[in-house]
Amino acid sequence: MRLAWSHAFVVVAGLLLVGCASEPTRIVPGTTAAETLQRLGAPTGRYPLNGGGERLQYSRMPAGFEVIDIDVDASGRVVSVTQVLNEARFGHDIKVGQWRQNEVVAFYGRPYEISRVSSFDGTVWTWRYKAVNERRMLYIYIDPTGVVRRYHTGDDLEFDRIRD
């Protein structure tokens, strides 16, 4: 009986370690890009960075609430790991009037949804995120020339519609 319990413990501990190893936020600066890719698998996006580096992006869209950007320098080492769907960062990160849609994708990944509204000539890109465990939405308005014109956040009412 004792052998069975210890075997079960080893199996469960191994599964927990595998789960932790595949979590992008557990990658630490200094890790090589090759080791990162081995631990996490293929990213959902890869984008060149100024200075010869690369961004490995791991998005949990459309069902999830996180996009993790792992920036790798020209020498192939991780320099930063950032969960970018963070309400406290939006005002600093989003470059209204400067970003083009390719820069939005390189930072936030593919959106949860792209839609149109009558009050804006362009498209509205939407991402789901959580703020203190509340389901929220980030809306970025992109004009017909591909430039970000504004953004705002709001409550995610999709879950409420499903529950009713």
Side-chain angles (χ1 to χ4, degrees), residues 1-19:
M1 182 69 149
R2 179 179 277 183
L3 184 59
W5 277 108
S6 61
H7 185 287
F9 175 78
V10 168
V11 169
V12 169
L15 289 173
L16 288 173
L17 285 174
V18 167

Side-chain angles (χ1 to χ4, degrees), residues 36-50:
T36 299
L37 292 167
Q38 181 183 12
R39 287 175 57 189
L40 301 179
T44 54
R46 291 180 94 148
Y47 307 97
L49 295 174
N50 291 336

Side-chain angles (χ1 to χ4, degrees), residues 14 17 67 83 138 151:
L17 285 174
V67 174
Q83 199 297 95
L138 167 64
Y151 76 93

Side-chain angles (χ1 to χ4, degrees), residues 42-119:
T44 54
R46 291 180 94 148
Y47 307 97
L49 295 174
N50 291 336
E54 179 181 35
R55 173 165 291 149
L56 305 175
Q57 190 173 76
Y58 291 87
S59 174
R60 297 207 167 121
M61 293 290 131
F65 299 94
E66 295 178 337
V67 174
I68 294 95
D69 285 350
I70 300 175
D71 290 351
V72 177
D73 65 16
S75 70
R77 297 236 173 237
V78 171
V79 292
S80 67
V81 178
T82 308
Q83 199 297 95
V84 294
L85 289 176
N86 179 333
E87 197 167 74
R89 297 179 52 98
F90 295 153
H92 177 266
D93 292 337
I94 299 170
K95 307 294 186 228
V96 174
Q98 297 174 32
W99 265 5
R100 301 194 62 77
Q101 63 188 38
N102 62 328
E103 292 166 302
V104 174
V105 171
F107 199 84
Y108 291 116
R110 292 187 307 265
Y112 165 71
E113 177 180 72
I114 298 175
S115 60
R116 292 187 171 276
V117 294
S118 62
S119 61

Side-chain angles (χ1 to χ4, degrees), residues 116-122 124 141 150 152:
R116 292 187 171 276
V117 294
S118 62
S119 61
F120 179 72
D121 182 23
V124 182
Y141 292 72
R150 69 179 187 256
H152 71 87

